[in-house]
Amino acid sequence: MRHPSSLKQEFLKKWILGLQRCGFSSKKSTSIMERKKAIKLSADLAMASTRNGTACWSRALIANASRDHESKILAEQILGPESQSLKKASSTMPPVICSRRIRSKKILKRSCSSQVRRVRKIALPQKVLSANSVAKRLVQKRTNILKSLVPGGEYMDDISLIEETLDYIAYLRAQVDVMRFVASATEVVNRNSD
Amino acid sequence: MDLHDMVLFWWESLSLFGRSCGQCEGDQMDMVGDKDKFELENRNEEDPMNFAAPSPSPSVDWRFGGLVPTGNPMAVSKGSTSMVVESFGPTLWDQSQTANPQNLGGLFSDINNVQNSASTSDTLGIRKGTPAAVVSLPSIDHKTFDMGWNPTSSMLNLKGGGGIFLPGNGMLPQSLSQFPADSAFIERAARFSCFNVSGGNFSDMVNPLESMGGTNYFRGGGMMQEVFGGNGQSHSQKNEVMNVDEAFKGVSMTVGEHEHEHGATGGGGSPLKNVRSHDEAKQGIGVGGSGPGNDSDEAEFSTAGGQDEPSVLEGTTGGERFAGGLESKKRKRSEQDTESDLAKVGPQQPGESAMDDTEIQQNGDQKPTATTNKSSGKHGKQGSQASDPPKEEYIHVRARRGQATNSHSLAERVRREKISERMKFLQDLVPGCSKVTGKAVMLDEIINYVQSLQRQVEFLSMKLATVNPRLDFNVEGLLAKDILQSRAGPSTLGFSPDMPMAYPQLHSSQQGLIRAGLSGLGSSSDLHRRTMNSQLTPMTGGFKEPTRLPNVWEDELHNVVQMSYGTSATPNSLDVDGSLPPGHMKVEL
């Protein structure tokens, strides 16, 4: 059970460290988009690294960041020395999914052998059937959207997708809170220094 | 002066509407109008978000019309001619500080709805009145108009947002059918009020009295801008205003009732933790560990660990109830033949136990034991489950009476129950989902929430990029604030060396106001969350309070954030409270 404030603290520290590693402070002023990208990227990576590869989305985030050639260098810079272990973890993502399918097949086999065979089909009226299919299509559509939202979600089945979403939501909340905090703090600092 | 004529016409219609209300007071008129707006929203819910290019021109006129009741029609209309392209909301605030913002908003959302629902009859009369006025505005630069229109038009399209502010419509009498045009006006204006306020990136025009609300919505407005930049989904647009509101609340409130949320999360986490089947145990711990927790969560877990049997019972109860609700229909069929069920359960059990004892809790508990006491069934299960270690890789599913025992259907049932169980957890996590049932709607809410959070991150990272030209965060200052995060004490302690100026700036009266405002907001939103029938007054009270807060926005937020971190009130509650009322709104619609 992770404490939210400790989680945020950890995230904050890693984030600032990552930003410092970017080496922006010494260079000349960079464009705003670059800065924003650096901030976001370092925040993402900081959060993902706090998970230490326990969550699928974190691995997917790191994998995506490392794949993008434009952010690859930044990512490597930010991740620093622990990048090796994280990259290894992120590369093992897809095989995790297959184990679930294997398990479900085992369920089928066991249940076949142990149960009394009694198949009773209840015919639903046509309206209900079409309503069911409509509902299914809606759910399927939204599941696909969710898969596109959550990083690394395309490879997951529904069940793990929902769990990853839970995790991801918690992370996003923490990130938003910390960033808000930092933004307000820096604003106050700037105003005081002016 | 066609413009003047149009303005007068609008004003007359509005006064007509007001008289028709009879004893309606000024704000009641707003409420009534808002209710009608809800009706229109319901009707127009499925309307495509079509914004033809010629439609903006009538809207301009409606904007002028909307400015009428502020008191000085001519001055307002003249003044707004130049500003209408950039922002009409702020001009409203400037002109009429005393006017009810919702009233004005209602007028404006009426205007917007004119364009949105081109087919509805109530707008025809309005449109007929405008063609003359359309001609009288040649001075408006078309290009700038279009540019200025794009964000506002897409904002106007968001009908759900107006509903947030006016939840009490269900209680109001439905006696306005005879004035569809006028009520449509007010509805649209009410809907637009939130967009006026949400269009806070016009914040330079915002009245200093309203700056709190304006800058609050600046964040939402900024986010909305991002939204409109990149999002073409009509259905999600509707919900984005809820996210704006959530952001607003998130920004302005830090004290909120989070125990409910966290308690629910903890309660949701503990059943999962107690589930004994192999994969679920693993995932449960992962989910429980990653869920937002606080001291209450830890306390729940410790109590769950300390008392094994009752905790398992609690866990099974929770787990049972989760899936029990969904299976209630199926269980009704099995309730007819309870005794034969028990008899069947009897001989089956020795056979089952011979093979293995582990069963998924929800499946095992949902055996057809309708007559048997739930607790006794659970105790039976507890014995078997507490004894065997979670080593099994197979999940044993027992077919229920009346259910097909096809292997595929069994596996399907397992999968469905797993999904529903996890959706329950998501319900606790995503604000506004507690009253929503059904996968599709909840998935929708989840998608919107994730999208809004992601956009918030983008927005905040952009903001940080602007604030820090050199990307050198004052590490010492920020880390010093970490002391606050670890709840070292009340916020009055000035920890950081570079923060000493912040606190003296806040006078005690301001702090008192802040706390009062926040507590008021928190209580109002909490009340709103608890009651299904949302009252209008708490809502308006909740939304008016930010306007009463002093102008020192940044210092407030800073102090509030410090307090929130210092008092271990997680700001997660911001989003919870902020978006829960809108979720309520949507559901009630």
Side-chain angles (χ1 to χ4, degrees):
Chain A
M1 171 45 78
R2 204 170 292 137
H3 229 261
S5 58
S6 70
L7 175 73
K8 286 179 194 163
Q9 261 181 310
E10 196 182 339
F11 167 60
L12 179 69
K13 283 177 192 148
K14 283 203 179 174
W15 181 28
I16 292 180
L17 282 174
L19 272 177
Q20 283 180 341
R21 278 197 205 137
C22 277
F24 268 117
S25 48
S26 53
K27 292 184 192 160
K28 55 180 173 26
S29 65
T30 51
S31 80
I32 191 169
M33 287 310 294
E34 285 181 34
R35 288 205 297 272
K36 175 215 166 197
K37 206 166 41 157
I39 288 170
K40 181 158 192 292
L41 191 63
S42 48
D44 287 343
L45 292 171
M47 208 60 204
S49 59
T50 58
R51 296 284 182 197
N52 290 329
T54 48
C56 187
W57 59 263
S58 64
R59 295 197 291 270
L61 259 181
I62 296 174
N64 288 342
S66 326
R67 220 180 302 139
D68 260 351
H69 55 268
E70 60 192 27
S71 50
K72 190 171 182 179
I73 303 164
L74 258 179
E76 284 180 3
Q77 251 183 332
I78 292 170
L79 282 178
E82 59 267 9
S83 63
Q84 302 307 317
S85 58
L86 283 171
K87 277 191 180 169
K88 228 184 298 174
S90 57
S91 60
T92 60
M93 199 180 44
V96 174
I97 314 305
C98 307
S99 60
R100 226 174 277 277
R101 302 231 172 83
I102 300 168
R103 212 172 286 140
S104 58
K105 287 201 182 118
K106 286 178 184 162
I107 299 170
L108 287 179
K109 284 189 198 149
R110 287 299 286 244
S111 55
C112 270
S113 59
S114 64
Q115 295 308 316
V116 174
R117 300 220 169 243
R118 187 178 40 143
V119 181
R120 187 197 301 178
K121 269 209 165 165
I122 298 105
L124 298 166
Q126 196 60 33
K127 269 189 244 176
V128 180
L129 280 174
S130 60
N132 280 347
S133 56
V134 163
K136 275 188 196 153
R137 249 182 289 135
L138 275 178
V139 170
Q140 188 58 38
K141 198 165 45 165
R142 285 171 188 164
T143 310
N144 290 338
I145 295 175
L146 190 60
K147 281 185 180 174
S148 67
L149 275 182
V150 176
E154 299 90 15
Y155 310 112
M156 291 190 264
D157 56 338
D158 286 348
I159 301 168
S160 43
L161 176 69
I162 295 181
E163 290 175 9
E164 294 293 327
T165 312
L166 275 169
D167 217 23
Y168 189 54
I169 286 176
Y171 149 63
L172 279 177
R173 263 208 205 153
Q175 192 185 25
V176 163
D177 289 335
V178 170
M179 288 177 90
R180 219 179 257 165
F181 179 57
V182 169
S184 64
T186 49
E187 277 180 22
V188 178
V189 167
N190 287 349
R191 199 179 327 138
N192 291 338
S193 60
D194 288 343
Chain B
M1 291 288 289
D2 294 335
L3 181 65
H4 185 39
D5 292 341
M6 196 274 304
V7 156
L8 283 178
F9 160 75
W10 199 93
W11 178 240
E12 282 168 11
S13 63
L14 200 65
S15 52
L16 241 175
F17 175 65
R19 271 195 299 262
S20 74
C21 276
Q23 294 77 21
C24 293
E25 291 146 11
D27 48 352
Q28 256 197 7
M29 189 165 69
D30 304 336
M31 295 182 344
V32 160
D34 298 335
K35 174 202 69 72
D36 264 345
K37 171 187 54 104
F38 261 147
E39 288 176 3
L40 236 118
E41 270 183 34
N42 286 336
R43 268 181 275 140
N44 295 337
E45 204 101 307
E46 312 307 321
D47 284 355
M49 310 285 189
N50 42 359
F51 250 117
S55 63
S57 29
S59 71
V60 176
D61 313 322
W62 297 123
R63 247 172 278 133
F64 291 141
L67 295 172
V68 166
T70 66
N72 197 350
M74 288 316 298
V76 163
S77 58
K78 275 184 190 159
S80 59
T81 323
S82 55
M83 298 198 247
V84 74
V85 174
E86 290 88 4
S87 60
F88 21 89
T91 62
L92 272 185
W93 301 131
D94 285 334
Q95 298 288 341
S96 59
Q97 299 174 8
T98 57
N100 190 352
Q102 290 195 350
N103 187 1
L104 298 172
L107 304 169
F108 271 68
S109 49
D110 267 0
I111 294 166
N112 305 333
N113 214 9
V114 171
Q115 308 143 26
N116 290 349
S117 57
S119 56
T120 57
S121 59
D122 57 355
T123 64
L124 288 178
I126 298 164
R127 288 200 173 223
K128 281 174 198 158
T130 56
V134 174
V135 183
S136 68
L137 302 169
S139 60
I140 290 180
D141 185 14
H142 199 64
K143 201 166 97 175
T144 57
F145 181 71
D146 287 339
M147 265 171 33
W149 186 245
N150 286 335
T152 52
S153 64
S154 39
M155 277 203 298
L156 300 178
N157 271 327
L158 298 179
K159 297 167 187 162
I164 298 168
F165 295 89
L166 308 157
N169 303 335
M171 305 165 28
L172 298 166
Q174 313 247 348
S175 58
L176 308 168
S177 52
Q178 65 272 29
F179 294 94
D182 305 315
S183 58
F185 268 122
I186 293 179
E187 288 167 19
R188 285 174 234 120
R191 198 173 311 127
F192 192 67
S193 66
C194 72
F195 303 134
N196 281 339
V197 191
S198 341
N201 41 7
F202 318 121
S203 55
D204 51 333
M205 319 284 297
V206 172
N207 189 349
L209 270 183
E210 318 286 348
S211 66
M212 177 73 179
T215 47
N216 275 343
Y217 281 101
F218 171 70
R219 296 174 186 271
M223 279 178 260
M224 286 173 74
Q225 289 294 314
E226 288 188 41
V227 163
F228 302 131
N231 197 347
Q233 298 176 4
S234 61
H235 79 279
S236 58
Q237 271 188 352
K238 187 173 36 156
N239 300 319
E240 274 153 21
V241 184
M242 293 185 343
N243 304 329
V244 169
D245 196 57
E246 162 199 358
F248 159 71
K249 288 247 175 169
V251 166
S252 64
M253 285 165 27
T254 57
V255 176
E257 204 206 29
H258 63 281
E259 290 86 5
H260 171 76
E261 183 223 351
H262 286 291
T265 319
S270 51
L272 194 54
K273 190 182 182 182
N274 290 329
V275 166
R276 298 302 176 92
S277 59
H278 176 58
D279 57 340
E280 296 214 3
K282 267 189 182 175
Q283 297 154 11
I285 292 168
V287 171
S290 63
N294 55 6
D295 281 345
S296 65
D297 271 348
E298 283 185 343
E300 280 195 31
F301 273 112
S302 60
T303 53
Q307 312 158 22
D308 200 22
E309 282 257 338
S311 69
V312 173
L313 176 65
E314 188 185 335
T316 56
T317 321
E320 221 184 297
R321 265 193 234 112
F322 285 163
L326 292 171
E327 307 295 350
S328 58
K329 286 182 198 161
K330 294 180 184 168
R331 197 175 293 194
K332 276 179 192 162
R333 269 198 298 139
S334 60
E335 270 177 7
Q336 302 159 8
D337 236 2
T338 54
E339 292 181 0
S340 54
D341 293 347
L342 289 174
K344 273 186 194 146
V345 166
Q348 273 178 8
Q349 253 190 341
E352 282 290 326
S353 58
M355 295 190 314
D356 202 339
D357 291 344
T358 52
E359 296 189 50
I360 301 179
Q361 281 196 355
Q362 60 265 30
N363 285 327
D365 290 334
Q366 281 163 0
K367 274 193 295 183
T369 57
T371 51
T372 59
N373 199 358
K374 265 197 179 184
S375 55
S376 63
K378 272 176 281 172
H379 278 295
K381 285 292 145 254
Q382 278 166 28
S384 60
Q385 280 153 359
S387 54
D388 51 34
K391 269 191 256 165
E392 287 302 316
E393 292 208 354
Y394 301 105
I395 297 166
H396 294 271
V397 183
R398 182 164 301 166
R400 287 200 298 269
R401 175 177 170 77
Q403 295 287 311
T405 53
N406 195 8
S407 62
H408 293 285
S409 54
L410 279 173
E412 183 67 27
R413 188 154 57 89
V414 168
R415 182 179 160 273
R416 264 189 307 213
E417 284 161 358
K418 272 196 201 171
I419 288 180
S420 57
E421 180 190 328
R422 282 159 178 79
M423 299 280 264
K424 296 288 180 182
F425 299 148
L426 270 173
Q427 258 189 355
D428 300 331
L429 201 59
V430 175
C433 257
S434 52
K435 297 296 184 288
V436 174
T437 53
K439 264 197 226 172
V441 187
M442 219 154 61
L443 275 175
D444 211 20
E445 293 287 332
I446 291 163
I447 286 169
N448 289 324
Y449 190 55
V450 170
Q451 273 176 342
S452 78
L453 283 176
Q454 282 176 339
R455 275 182 228 117
Q456 274 183 340
V457 167
E458 295 267 345
F459 170 72
L460 282 170
S461 66
M462 178 68 84
K463 182 172 181 191
L464 279 174
T466 59
V467 160
N468 288 61
R470 294 184 316 276
L471 270 191
D472 56 346
F473 297 105
N474 194 341
V475 181
E476 304 84 28
L478 291 174
L479 285 179
K481 286 170 199 56
D482 285 353
I483 303 170
L484 287 173
Q485 285 186 5
S486 61
R487 285 163 288 134
S491 61
T492 52
L493 303 174
F495 298 104
S496 53
D498 49 0
M499 299 312 302
M501 310 311 290
Y503 292 102
Q505 286 176 8
L506 284 165
H507 307 296
S508 57
S509 60
Q510 277 184 347
Q511 285 186 347
L513 259 178
I514 293 163
R515 293 204 187 94
L518 289 171
S519 57
L521 281 172
S523 64
S524 68
S525 62
D526 176 34
L527 175 76
H528 190 68
R529 193 201 305 178
R530 290 212 187 106
T531 62
M532 274 308 292
N533 302 325
S534 46
Q535 312 272 334
L536 181 62
T537 41
M539 241 4 218
T540 51
F543 280 101
K544 273 177 187 167
E545 262 176 304
T547 65
R548 281 194 255 118
L549 285 173
N551 196 8
V552 196
W553 164 236
E554 292 302 339
D555 286 337
E556 284 164 7
L557 174 62
H558 180 70
N559 188 42
V560 148
V561 168
Q562 302 281 355
M563 283 197 307
S564 71
Y565 277 124
T567 56
S568 81
T570 57
N572 287 341
S573 58
L574 302 184
D575 299 342
V576 176
D577 293 327
S579 52
L580 200 52
H584 268 285
M585 292 309 97
K586 195 185 172 195
V587 170
E588 285 168 6
L589 279 180

